[in-house]
Structures are given as structure tokens and as C-alpha cells.
Amino acid sequence: ALTAVLHEGLGGLKLKAQMVKSGAASQTTEAKPSGGPAAEFARIREELDHAVEEYADGHADDAKQHVRDAYFNNFEGLEGRLIEQDAELVAGLEEAFNAELLGLINDNAPVDRVRDKVEAMKATLAEAEKLLKQSGGEQGEVF
């Protein structure tokens, strides 16, 4: 549980640093697209699908940016509430986003391996979404 909390905190700090760097830190939460957790999960899946498409087209840097966007702009906002439900699931998704999937792209893995990893992540994301629905959870925020 401690490791999961530390991962969450590190992810939150990275998100805040990215927001400051891009100038988004001064925006209010109202500027973020609404729709609650279901919309966040949908955006994550879309970003991951775009990552596979970009990678298949030979645009590894764009693919990595889609992975980062999925994680920092969407998943990070769900972590606060999700970690209460299943810290191991959150830690596994963080590793999948930040190490495994990006590692495959960095290593120029075959497109099928990247696609398979994304599909496995989407299955885990569906599990996470179900947990939030069952808990009646609102979107938790790291900050």
C-alpha cells in the first residue's frame, strides 16, 4: 500500500510539473472536459488507440505522447478514488503506462506486441472503471 501511495504521489507531482510547464496549472478544473469517470476512461482508451495508430504509422514520438496524455491528463485524475478500491490495480496500471508500454515503443517492438499490451491495459482499465462504479465513486483528484 505504501508503494502504491508513493507511486500516486510521484505521478501527481509529474502531472503538476507538466501543467506548470504547459501553463495549464492556472486553469480551473472547470476548463477540463466533463463527464465524470466514464468520460475519463473513454478518453484514456481513445488516447491508447491513437498511440497504437501512430506507432503503426512509424510515429513513435507521437505514440509516446498519446500514452503520456492518457496517463497524465486522464488516469492521474482517477487515481485518488481508485487507489482506495485497489492499490495493486493502480500500481499495475502505472507500471503499464510508464514502463511497459513506453518500453515497448522505445524498444521498437512489433506493432502487434504494442497493440496486445494496449488491449491488456484496456481490459484492466475496464476492471478499474467497474470498481469505481460499484463504489459509487466520484472522480478523485490527486491535487
Side-chain angles (χ1 to χ4, degrees), residues 42-53:
R43 284 190 287 274
I44 293 167
R45 288 187 291 270
E46 286 175 19
E47 289 288 356
L48 291 174
D49 288 340
H50 289 310
V52 173
E53 291 169 11

Side-chain angles (χ1 to χ4, degrees), residues 55 103-114:
Y55 187 69
L104 288 171
I105 294 169
N106 285 333
D107 291 344
N108 296 314
V111 174
D112 286 341
R113 283 191 59 208
V114 171

